Amino acid sequence: MLTIDGLKKALRNAQSEIEAHKDTLTDLDRAIGDGDHGINMSRGFDAVSAILDDDYESLGALSKKVGMTLMAKVGGAAGPLYGSAFVKAATAFGDATEADFPLVKQALEEGAASIKARGKSEVGQKTMVDVWEPFLKGLSDSDDYAEKLDRLVHDTEDMKATKGRASYFGENSRGTVDPGAMSSAIILKAIMKEVG
Ligand SMILES: [Mg+2]
């Protein structure tokens, strides 16, 4: 079960993991982008952690606030994508104060659909979609979430980017893990850990 406190804990863990990987995210984005992903995500999750001390009456209310905060603070291409994912997930959570595995999965699927629609991207383009969609596809509560997420992040290394700024690097985008895939895995790992 994912409770309101559980989601708060997940977001605090995500913040500390993003902080721990800030330089890596920056280096990856410097290789195939504009080098701001680590800084943007760190700023966004610092802002998220600041709203976690407030009281929320539902998972939907918390998720919506997180989404609005990420939209306002992350910037770059990732801000609107992550922001809209949490806002859309909020509609799935609704008034629930705790969510079982199927509801969490449904909320994340809403989030993934929003990322795809906003980013106009599909699987195989070396973006965060390459983590969100295959992770959720056929996901069961007996899966090793962390192992699956690590593998999906690793799989973006050999892909050629055909979407976003990284696509300007063409063949040279191969050999670098997608930074958005890595930050997505950090966030999803933190959430799934609290689902149990
Ligand atoms: Mg960037």
Side-chain angles (χ1 to χ4, degrees):
M1 277 290 183
L2 181 68
T3 61
I4 293 172
D5 281 345
L7 183 54
K8 285 182 173 183
K9 188 177 170 195
L11 292 161
R12 287 194 180 96
N13 285 338
Q15 185 216 5
S16 62
E17 281 301 299
I18 280 164
E19 209 52 43
H21 292 84
K22 184 176 172 182
D23 291 344
T24 305
L25 292 170
T26 294
D27 290 346
L28 293 172
D29 195 34
R30 193 175 284 138
I32 55 170
D34 56 0
D36 62 357
H37 194 58
I39 294 156
N40 286 347
M41 292 302 288
S42 168
R43 184 179 55 238
F45 273 82
D46 281 353
V48 165
S49 88
I51 59 118
L52 295 179
D53 292 330
D54 296 340
D55 290 328
Y56 297 89
E57 56 189 26
S58 66
L59 283 168
L62 173 56
S63 185
K64 186 176 179 188
K65 181 74 178 182
V66 170
M68 303 299 278
T69 303
L70 291 175
M71 261 185 218
K73 297 290 182 181
V74 174
L81 298 177
Y82 282 129
S84 75
F86 276 92
V87 169
K88 281 290 184 184
T91 63
F93 284 134
D95 293 337
T97 54
E98 54 181 26
D100 57 9
F101 175 83
L103 181 54
V104 173
K105 187 178 174 189
Q106 186 199 334
L108 294 176
E109 282 168 346
E110 296 280 353
S114 180
I115 287 170
K116 280 186 77 176
R118 283 220 167 206
K120 299 184 175 62
S121 51
E122 299 291 333
V123 160
Q125 296 186 305
K126 196 183 180 97
T127 72
M128 62 174 73
V129 170
D130 289 303
V131 165
W132 283 81
E133 187 164 299
F135 176 67
L136 293 166
K137 194 171 185 179
L139 187 70
S140 111
D141 58 2
S142 60
D143 286 352
D144 183 340
Y145 309 129
E147 188 274 335
K148 193 172 179 185
L149 287 164
D150 288 343
R151 180 168 48 75
L152 291 169
V153 172
H154 178 262
D155 285 352
T156 66
E157 185 169 354
D158 292 334
M159 292 180 187
K160 176 184 165 183
T162 56
K163 197 78 202 176
R165 202 181 290 262
S167 66
Y168 302 141
F169 290 79
E171 286 295 333
N172 291 328
S173 65
R174 294 192 203 271
T176 301
V177 161
D178 180 64
M182 181 177 276
S183 60
S184 290
I186 288 171
I187 294 165
L188 290 168
K189 213 181 275 187
I191 293 171
M192 297 314 296
K193 194 177 169 197
E194 299 308 318
V195 183

